[in-house]
Amino acid sequence: MVLKQGDLILHSDTEDGWTVGRIESATGTGEKVRIKISGKEGLFSINQIKVVTEESLRLQPTDLLESPEVHESLAFQHIKNIYTAEKYCVSMGDDICIIVNPYSHDLPGDGSIYGDKRMHKILNVNKNEPYTEAHPWHLAKEAYRRLCETNTSTTIIVTGESGAGKTESARAAMKFLTTASKSSPVVAERVMAVNCILEVFGNAKTARNDNSSRFGKHTSILFDPDTLTVSGAQISTYLLEITRVTSHGSAERNFHSFYAMFKAPEKMRNRLLGTGKRPNDFKCLNPGATNRIGGGMTDEGNYTEVVKALAAIGIDEAQQEDLLWRPLAGIAHLLNTDFIKSGKEDIVTIADDAPLTSAALLLGIPPESLTFMLTTHTIIIKGAPVQQRLSLSKCAPIRDGLAKFVYKSIFSFLVDKVNESLSTTSLPENSPRIGILDLFGFE
């Protein structure tokens, strides 16, 4: 590559990925060149520089493969252009759609990326007409077309870094498929209820994302082979970030479910958490840090929606309290339990019996049994059980392990109940299906 003064280039940048510049001077013709841009000099590898034209920098292609030249730097530039023009979506061939999260539901033109107006516009496009705009729903529409015409099952993979909008996109794909197939409103409601339940109990606020999925999920949407309408679904989850129950960053929150619990009716809240208790009264909920969430979400909204969604899959409010909110409150009290040494033999005891007693009652364990479980272990010597008091350093990990086990059990119970409500025994095992794989991202 021979560079010369006046060349317009895109060069790699550690902060912006690729940056536009015009060369003021350049020396070297080998693998590395020294160039001066905007009064600053730097040594670049030739694969960190791309000579471009004014025209190529202004392009806003619907499909990146339609660009006159395919190169990483130009792809980044085109995506920037599309974002600036408030379009947010661009295709890469027939099977890939790139979405830049607008962090807003109020957009110009057809409104939200996943609004009903845009959905019906895409549904009404004839299969032989070219798409005038890129959109992930075109992928869902193509998956459903293949299923209808050739009985081909497809999986839609939703991936990206934390905060990219994967949760919203996966949810939107499910909504599109239930609408496109003209499925029963009852079935559609149950399928969509899945998202709310698993998001409240499996998502959390992180430093980069107010509604970050802390688990992976594969949803298999099942279709009736005769009517090709959605008849059910099956959920597989994996890698729930269970450590979040006991520890998370200072700018982060525990799972949404804990904070939603504080928006329950007052009588129930007082029964489970104690009169007048707030999130800041519980160590596992980041006392002192802001517990608010944004992105259009509220803890009140999460509680209201999850109660309705749970009812849609057959768990009424009385069962919700007994099977979900009681053990969840038990975890919060349990993690307020501390340990101290007492006596000449440094025997470990509970620092304050109140949180332990509350946790025990909520978890259905006699307080003395829970105390024994947290402070004592049993070993077998010559075939006989021998009880030993635990050291102070070992009690907290056992407490934390119990809390994580209970939360994982709650989540697993919910997944089982969701699958039970969405299962359909009338379909043959090889029924057509469309999978949605939501690959969660990490900071």
Side-chain angles (χ1 to χ4, degrees):
M1 178 189 294
V2 178
L3 299 172
K4 60 183 184 297
Q5 184 179 5
D7 279 348
L8 185 64
I9 65 167
L10 284 163
H11 63 90
S12 64
D13 185 279
T14 54
E15 292 186 4
D16 296 327
W18 292 88
T19 301
V20 179
R22 195 173 293 277
I23 294 178
E24 297 172 8
S25 64
T27 56
T29 57
E31 289 296 313
K32 290 186 178 293
V33 292
R34 181 170 295 279
I35 61 176
K36 186 177 182 182
I37 307 170
S38 302
K40 296 181 180 179
E41 277 196 11
L43 188 65
F44 290 84
S45 170
I46 57 172
N47 60 13
Q48 295 176 297
I49 301 168
K50 174 64 179 171
V51 178
V52 294
T53 65
E54 293 277 6
E55 182 183 4
S56 66
L57 290 179
R58 290 193 296 267
L59 288 175
Q60 296 178 25
T62 302
D63 188 334
L64 290 178
L65 299 185
E66 293 174 357
S67 175
E69 189 174 0
V70 178
H71 189 271
E72 178 187 347
S73 61
L74 286 170
F76 269 89
Q77 185 62 36
H78 297 333
I79 292 169
K80 283 183 183 179
N81 295 345
I82 288 160
Y83 182 81
T84 303
E86 298 183 320
K87 294 181 180 177
Y88 306 110
C89 302
V90 61
S91 297
M92 184 177 285
D94 293 333
D95 296 324
I96 298 174
C97 185
I98 299 169
I99 314 161
V100 184
N101 193 342
Y103 291 98
S104 174
H105 290 281
D106 185 19
L107 303 175
D110 291 326
S112 168
I113 285 181
Y114 296 125
D116 289 343
K117 184 177 179 181
R118 195 178 299 270
M119 179 191 290
H120 291 298
K121 181 179 177 180
I122 290 172
L123 281 171
N124 291 328
V125 174
N126 187 287
K127 69 177 182 178
N128 296 318
E129 292 179 41
Y131 297 138
T132 57
E133 65 171 355
H135 198 282
W137 275 340
H138 291 309
L139 302 184
K141 185 176 181 180
E142 176 62 16
Y144 184 61
R145 184 193 67 77
R146 291 176 187 173
L147 182 139
C148 293
E149 295 182 2
T150 65
N151 198 34
T152 301
S153 296
T154 306
T155 293
I156 298 170
I157 300 175
V158 185
T159 186
E161 65 179 342
S162 182
K166 298 180 299 300
T167 297
E168 189 82 9
S169 296
R171 185 193 308 139
M174 294 171 68
K175 179 181 177 182
F176 185 90
L177 291 170
T178 57
T179 304
S181 62
K182 299 179 181 178
S183 301
S184 157
V186 175
V187 173
E189 181 186 12
R190 286 207 304 266
V191 169
M192 295 309 297
V194 169
N195 296 298
C196 174
I197 295 167
L198 297 186
E199 283 179 32
V200 169
F201 283 86
N203 288 20
K205 176 183 178 179
T206 67
R208 296 177 58 181
N209 182 3
D210 279 2
N211 189 32
S212 179
S213 296
R214 310 319 295 169
F215 67 104
K217 177 179 65 176
H218 180 267
T219 305
S220 189
I221 309 292
L222 307 175
F223 292 82
D224 186 298
D226 297 321
T227 64
L228 295 175
T229 57
V230 174
S231 59
Q234 287 294 288
I235 310 291
S236 299
T237 63
Y238 51 92
L239 295 176
L240 177 67
E241 188 193 31
I242 198 66
T243 55
R244 181 165 294 270
V245 172
T246 57
S247 62
H248 41 274
S250 59
E252 301 188 344
R253 303 203 320 171
N254 212 317
F255 290 103
H256 293 326
S257 54
F258 285 99
Y259 307 91
M261 176 171 55
F262 284 85
K263 304 303 177 182
E266 184 178 5
K267 287 185 178 179
M268 186 177 98
R269 193 168 67 240
N270 290 342
R271 276 198 306 274
L272 301 182
L273 299 165
T275 303
K277 293 292 185 181
R278 300 175 301 166
N280 281 343
D281 294 315
F282 293 88
K283 295 177 182 178
C284 64
L285 303 184
N286 251 9
T290 176
N291 282 320
R292 288 178 299 201
I293 47 174
M297 295 180 62
T298 65
D299 293 318
E300 293 92 339
N302 280 345
Y303 179 79
T304 301
E305 289 175 20
V306 80
V307 166
K308 181 181 176 182
L310 288 165
I313 66 166
I315 307 177
D316 62 34
E317 291 194 33
Q319 292 174 313
Q320 290 174 30
E321 179 175 351
D322 287 341
L323 300 175
L324 301 173
W325 305 119
R326 283 183 66 85
L328 193 66
I331 292 172
H333 287 290
L334 177 64
L335 292 174
N336 266 8
T337 302
D338 287 321
F339 308 92
I340 56 173
K341 291 181 179 180
S342 65
K344 295 181 180 179
E345 298 180 7
D346 286 339
I347 295 174
V348 176
T349 60
I350 305 300
D352 180 358
D353 287 335
L356 180 134
T357 300
S358 296
L361 294 176
L362 290 165
L363 295 174
I365 306 171
E368 59 275 14
S369 297
L370 182 57
T371 300
F372 181 85
M373 184 189 307
L374 298 178
T375 59
T376 309
H377 74 141
T378 302
I379 58 175
I380 304 299
I381 298 178
K382 295 183 178 180
V386 176
Q387 295 165 358
Q388 292 184 337
R389 297 302 291 259
L390 291 170
S391 64
L392 187 62
S393 62
K394 292 182 178 178
C395 291
I398 289 178
R399 174 202 63 199
D400 292 354
L402 176 59
K404 288 184 278 191
F405 171 80
V406 173
Y407 196 86
K408 186 176 180 181
S409 298
I410 294 172
F411 193 78
S412 297
F413 165 77
L414 284 171
V415 173
D416 290 342
K417 290 298 290 185
V418 161
N419 282 332
E420 181 183 314
S421 75
L422 295 175
S423 66
T424 172
T425 56
S426 60
L427 292 181
E429 193 171 325
N430 61 346
S431 294
R433 62 194 64 205
I434 294 177
I436 300 172
L437 178 59
D438 182 358
L439 289 174
F440 61 156
F442 287 105
E443 285 74 3

